[in-house]
């Protein structure tokens, strides 16, 4: 076939044909929000996988534990997230094979992910994700973020996607050191509720994951209570006919 | 450009004289100057006795802050105020225009203006210009029918809401409103929430900044609190002030007072009404 011949011709010039590069994401997850609290890290995300503007999958787990010390949350292309999980699986496996009593902590995994994302971006074939990596090792809490172009940083509270615009202002105002578990969950739920109201790709089914020195717990999916009873919503056009 | 013997000035409408030159320049990579925008946070909420509007005070021209303390809450009628986001010229012009139209309407009807009147005048104008008048407004006021709060988008659509935010900082401000708003707020709670929302926009959005303006409108009474909060004071001010080194010697000082050209005659004829 013509395309095969041209591929062979171009194999020295371009090892991947254009159709094999990631050009746009297909099945995407929306924001993930995470905070440091007294005993470790709390991370929350909803369970929706959107195919463009359709809500295709409603039970996508976008927060997964990595090794013994870390939690990975991702927004963006779900297939790329699954690929990253495979890479991390291999990484943790090789680390365990050393059998030296040492294990990769969150900082190391974050550094690995930054390299992976940045190198893919340099080849113009990015993994279309914004990742949040949180964990605790030897009493040190770590929370970092990597974007799809390799921008990485560490902070006390991070969010991806829409969460940056809607959740971070709330976190900047109300986060403080040594939040208790209940306060941390309440704060995250506040952020997730605002995202539910104002992000069109968010759904009312979320999971909260917690990681402490003892280990990882990912909660069962649950939904938030919403309030729609404002008086202006009851009869919105009573004063202005023709508006909505 | 024209070949006619008599140079007739253009009769009106858009003058296309510079279009070829602009096209040539943009092809060469020279961008036209960006509009003076109010990259903004504007909010409004309905409380127990009326409406509270709030706005930040930064006006931007691309990446530069061109006005550190501009006024974004515009007067429409004694009982109606309007916050404007988008191109500063557009918001000023459109609110001024509708304000004068409302004044004429008040003279004509002899009654207090209603918020829906202002709403309809604004949305008609903006729809007519199909979104080219880049003005996103939060209109609020109290009239005989009660307190009203509306948002108006540049293309002419409107919303009637109990709390609203517009501008580049709208998401940061909306995050505050969505988590803390409830019905039946008192005046102080309402002002506190509006200030929190504007501050959220000021500190989390790059297009908004400087100070917080608040306007409280209740039945028969309004309070325009200009610079209600100044959360960005100048921190390092030189206590010594400016001093110029003595380089030039003063040889002679002569002061000539200018005579006043206009003579004011007290008790002249009053203007005819």
């Amino acid at each position: 076939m013509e395309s095969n011949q041209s591929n062979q011709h171009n194999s020295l010039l371009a090892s991947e044909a254009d159709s094999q590069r990631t050009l746009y994401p297909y099945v995407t997850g929306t924001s993930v929000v995470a905070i440091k609290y007294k005993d470790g890290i709390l991370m929350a995300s909803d369970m929706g996988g959107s195919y463009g503007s359709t809500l295709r999958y409603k039970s996508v787990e976008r927060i997964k534990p990595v090794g013994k010390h870390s939690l990975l949350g991702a927004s963006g292309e779900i297939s790329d997230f699954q690929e990253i999980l495979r890479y991390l699986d291999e990484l943790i496996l090789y680390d365990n094979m050393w059998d030296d009593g040492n294990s990769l902590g969150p900082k190391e995994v974050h550094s690995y992910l930054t390299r992976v994302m940045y190198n893919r971006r340099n080849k113009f074939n990015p993994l279309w994700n914004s990742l949040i990596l949180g964990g605790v090792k030897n009493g040190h809490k770590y929370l970092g973020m990597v974007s799809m172009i390799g921008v990485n940083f560490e902070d006390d509270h991070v969010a991806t996607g829409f969460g940056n615009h809607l959740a971070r202002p709330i976190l900047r105002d109300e986060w403080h050191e040594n939040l208790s578990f209940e306060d941390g969950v309440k704060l995250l739920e506040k952020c997730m509720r605002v995202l539910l109201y104002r992000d069109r790709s968010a759904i009312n089914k979320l999971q909260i994951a917690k990681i402490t020195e003892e280990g990882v717990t990912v909660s069962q999916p649950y939904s938030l209570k919403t309030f729609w009873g404002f008086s202006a919503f009851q009869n919105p056009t009573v004063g202005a006919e023709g508006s909505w | 450009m024209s070949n006619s013997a008599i140079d007739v000035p253009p009769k009106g409408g858009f003058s296309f004289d510079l279009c070829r030159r602009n096209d040539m320049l943009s092809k060469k990579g020279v961008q036209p100057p960006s509009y003076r925008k109010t990259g903004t946070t504007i909010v409004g909420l309905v409380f127990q006795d009326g409406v509270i509007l709030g706005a930040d005070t930064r006006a931007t021209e691309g990446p530069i802050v061109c006005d550190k303390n501009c006024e974004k809450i515009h007067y429409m009628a004694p009982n109606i105020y309007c916050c404007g986001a988008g191109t500063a010229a557009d918001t000023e012009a459109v609110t001024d225009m509708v304000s004068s139209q409302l004044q004429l309407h008040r003279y004509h009807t002899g009654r207090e203006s209603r918020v829906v009147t202002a709403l309809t005048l604004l949305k008609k104008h903006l729809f007519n210009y199909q979104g080219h008048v880049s003005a996103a407004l939060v209109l609020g006021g109290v009239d005989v029918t009660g307190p009203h709060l509306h948002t108006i988008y540049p293309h002419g659509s409107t919303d009637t809401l109990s709390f609203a935010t517009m501008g580049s900082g709208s998401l940061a401000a909306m995050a505050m409103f969505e988590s803390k708003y409830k019905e039946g707020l008192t005046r102080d709670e309402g002002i506190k929430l509006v200030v929190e929302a504007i501050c959220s926009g000021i500190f989390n959005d790059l297009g908004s900044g400087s100070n917080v303006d608040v306007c409280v409108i209740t039945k028969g009474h309004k309070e325009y609190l200009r610079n209600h909060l100044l959360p960005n004071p100048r921190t390092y001010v030189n206590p010594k002030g400016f001093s110029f080194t003595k380089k030039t010697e003063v040889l002679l000082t002569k002061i000539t007072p200018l005579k006043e050209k206009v003579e004011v005659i007290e008790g002249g004829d009053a203007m005819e009404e």
Side-chain angles (χ1 to χ4, degrees), chain B residues 34-40 58-62 64-67 70 72 84-91 134 168 207:
Chain B
S34 60
Y35 304 122
R36 183 182 195 239
K37 299 195 88 156
T38 54
T40 296
R58 174 184 281 186
T60 52
E61 221 166 56
I64 307 172
V65 177
C66 56
D67 192 346
C70 69
K72 297 186 191 177
T87 308
D90 287 339
T91 58
S134 174
S168 55

Side-chain angles (χ1 to χ4, degrees), chain A residues 162 165-170 172-174 190 193-194 197-198 227 229-233 236-237 239-244, chain B residues 116 119 123 148 150 157-163 170-176 178-183 196 200 203-204:
Chain A
F162 244 91
H165 295 106
L166 289 169
R168 286 204 87 186
I170 303 179
R172 279 188 182 152
D173 224 17
E174 300 188 17
K190 201 183 221 192
R193 186 173 289 111
V194 177
Y197 283 136
R198 296 281 162 176
F227 179 70
F230 293 116
S231 58
F233 293 165
T237 57
E241 293 298 320
S243 67
W244 59 91
Chain B
V116 285
L119 179 73
K123 68 159 38 173
H148 295 282
H150 303 280
S157 64
T158 59
D159 284 319
T160 312
L161 301 161
S162 352
F163 57 93
S170 62
L171 286 103
M174 186 52 87
M176 286 295 135
E178 281 285 12
S179 46
K180 296 183 187 164
Y181 180 79
K182 54 188 203 305
E183 303 240 84
E196 259 178 35
S200 173
F203 292 117
N204 292 304

